[in-house]
Amino acid sequence: MAGRKRNPTKITKGIGIAVNEILKGNLIVLPTETVYGLGANATNEKAVLKIYQTKERPLFDPLIVHIKSIKDIKKYAKDIPKEVFRLAEAFSPGPITFIVQKKQNIPDIVTSGLDSVAIRIPSHPMIQKVLKKSGKPIAAPSANMFGRISPTTAKDVLKELKGKVNYILDGGICEIGIESTVVSFLDDNIKILRPGFITKRDIEKVLRKKVILTRDRTRKGKHKSDIYSPGMLKNHYAPSTPMYLTDNLKDFIEEKRVGILDFSQYENLNEIALNLFSDLRKLDEENYAYLVAKKVKDSGIGSAINDRLEKASRGRVKMGKWEIKFIEKR
Ligand code: TXA
Ligand code: MG
């Protein structure tokens, strides 16, 4: 509206403020153990619409519904396979999301018209308090503009969403740093749609059977739609500076114009995951001509890190300084 003042966006630690925003049908940025989320009351269609508008996220990309406890899964989902509860007992509250059949009380806008819903029980104490005190399920995607790097601190959120939300609830640095593992239970085979902190091995150990880490971005069969699982779109988590994958970071050390995503300072894969998005953001702010990164060992949480690196680089690979190749896009 002409002449309207820009919203100042305040960083707060007030749980009451966050609860109020949820109950009023406003958006509120909430900390989770993985990344910050842009939350709204999942049962309020107008509030949920604001999430898509604010992030400029396409309406075909469904949201995760955050709930307070395992007991509540049944409130919003039906025909829930027993494996969901076994995994929830092992890993929830925590960084795992279950795709299951939805009940009517979850509006279509949350699930992009799908008859399934993504459910997660986050462990961060602040979002837990907001869930308990508001009594509402909270739909929340990562608190970044669509396709960009997920934020892991309140300050990074501010850079993404300044003027677009009233409040950011500050819960410190997210302790995991990359998004939850998304697991689908819609077919007979259990499928990991997005790798995350909870690994394929972790899941298989609990279930005592094999699950599939799928590269297939389409859903086929008896369910309503065959759209992508959009977190698996090939371009995602992307810096504004072009980024390339390479096997030879050494080739670029002398190049002043090139930003190197350097993991050598970190002790293990968990530390890399924790710092991945914030390091990427820092490099992106430095005005480099381009960025380069090298994939990590593709096991455990390494799969999740490599998934994010491939998407951030949009599949572009540097073979030496000049030659560019495109790898098979997922
Ligand atoms: O750690 C996380 O999961 C964070 C925090 C905020 O909870 N959230 C997050 O949300 O990463 P978002 O929207 O950035 O990613 C959600 C992913 C998307 O890939 C989306 O396509 C998928 O979950 N998803 C949601 N509902 C789905 C459904 N019914 N079927 C298949 N995929 C679904
Ligand atoms: Mg996201």
Side-chain angles (χ1 to χ4, degrees):
M1 221 187 294
R4 202 164 106 178
K5 265 200 183 160
R6 264 177 83 89
N7 181 333
T9 304
K10 292 183 211 58
I11 294 183
T12 177
K13 292 198 170 27
I15 300 290
I17 292 175
V19 172
N20 238 333
E21 293 295 290
I22 291 291
L23 295 177
K24 281 200 293 202
N26 290 342
L27 300 182
I28 171 85
V29 175
L30 300 165
T32 87
E33 68 280 18
T34 57
V35 299
Y36 275 76
L38 177 62
N41 175 357
T43 59
N44 178 334
E45 289 181 304
K46 279 192 188 148
V48 173
L49 180 62
K50 287 183 204 166
I51 295 178
Y52 289 93
Q53 289 168 336
T54 301
K55 276 190 63 135
E56 294 172 14
R57 178 178 176 119
L59 282 162
F60 63 73
D61 189 352
L63 306 175
I64 295 177
V65 174
H66 298 73
I67 61 173
K68 64 179 188 304
S69 65
I70 298 175
K71 265 203 338 243
D72 279 5
I73 300 177
K74 283 192 185 132
K75 274 197 196 166
Y76 306 106
K78 59 183 183 188
D79 306 334
I80 309 162
K82 60 181 184 314
E83 285 93 341
V84 170
F85 293 105
R86 286 177 48 201
L87 291 178
E89 292 296 343
F91 303 120
S92 301
I96 186 162
T97 297
F98 308 106
I99 310 283
V100 282
Q101 288 296 309
K102 90 175 184 74
K103 276 192 176 166
Q104 287 278 336
N105 53 4
I106 297 295
D108 281 348
I109 187 162
V110 173
T111 64
S112 305
L114 298 173
D115 43 22
S116 60
V117 60
I119 290 186
R120 169 160 124 77
I121 303 145
S123 66
H124 194 293
M126 289 175 97
I127 188 171
Q128 269 291 335
K129 280 187 188 146
V130 177
L131 286 164
K132 283 186 183 133
K133 292 198 173 164
S134 68
K136 305 289 180 195
I138 295 178
S142 48
N144 48 276
M145 296 303 285
F146 182 68
R148 296 239 330 132
I149 306 165
S150 305
T152 53
T153 65
K155 269 198 185 146
D156 286 347
V157 176
L158 195 62
K159 284 181 198 150
E160 285 284 316
L161 298 180
K162 196 172 182 173
K164 296 186 167 148
V165 282
N166 295 334
Y167 296 99
I168 297 166
L169 188 65
D170 186 356
I173 300 172
C174 301
E175 63 178 340
I176 290 173
I178 55 175
E179 303 81 355
S180 62
T181 308
V182 177
V183 192
S184 173
F185 296 86
L186 300 183
D187 306 323
D188 296 336
N189 292 321
I190 296 169
K191 294 196 183 86
I192 298 176
L193 301 182
R194 179 176 71 182
F197 183 79
I198 307 286
T199 64
K200 181 171 182 286
R201 258 211 20 241
D202 294 336
I203 291 170
E204 288 175 343
K205 244 183 172 167
V206 171
L207 299 181
R208 292 210 208 90
K209 67 174 179 190
K210 292 272 169 212
V211 300
I212 301 166
L213 176 57
T214 181
R215 303 284 197 242
D216 185 2
R217 294 184 295 125
T218 54
R219 265 182 263 125
K220 301 181 194 85
K222 51 184 187 243
H223 297 285
K224 223 176 180 175
S225 161
D226 61 353
I227 65 159
Y228 303 122
S229 176
M232 307 202 87
L233 284 177
K234 53 194 184 270
N235 304 336
H236 226 94
Y237 316 110
S240 314
T241 318
M243 178 170 143
Y244 300 90
L245 295 179
T246 180
D247 280 335
N248 306 303
L249 286 177
K250 284 198 297 302
D251 289 356
F252 300 91
I253 288 173
E254 303 281 296
E255 285 277 334
K256 289 217 169 56
R257 297 176 315 120
V258 182
I260 299 179
L261 191 60
D262 178 15
F263 298 141
S264 63
Q265 55 189 311
Y266 301 124
E267 298 225 324
N268 53 42
L269 291 175
N270 284 356
E271 250 186 55
I272 295 175
L274 174 61
N275 290 287
L276 177 66
F277 287 142
S278 53
D279 284 359
L280 206 49
R281 248 170 215 285
K282 277 181 214 142
L283 286 179
D284 201 17
E285 286 163 9
E286 295 284 333
N287 290 320
Y288 286 116
Y290 61 87
L291 311 179
V292 288
K294 185 175 175 207
K295 287 208 267 182
V296 298
K297 199 168 152 239
D298 203 61
S299 71
I301 195 178
S303 304
I305 294 167
N306 289 339
D307 169 73
R308 305 314 188 265
L309 288 175
E310 281 180 14
K311 284 168 189 156
S313 63
R314 301 168 189 244
R316 289 178 296 221
V317 179
K318 279 261 185 203
M319 319 287 291
K321 271 186 218 170
W322 310 114
E323 196 189 341
I324 297 171
K325 195 179 92 173
F326 286 84
I327 52 172
E328 176 58 29
K329 290 178 179 176
R330 288 183 180 176

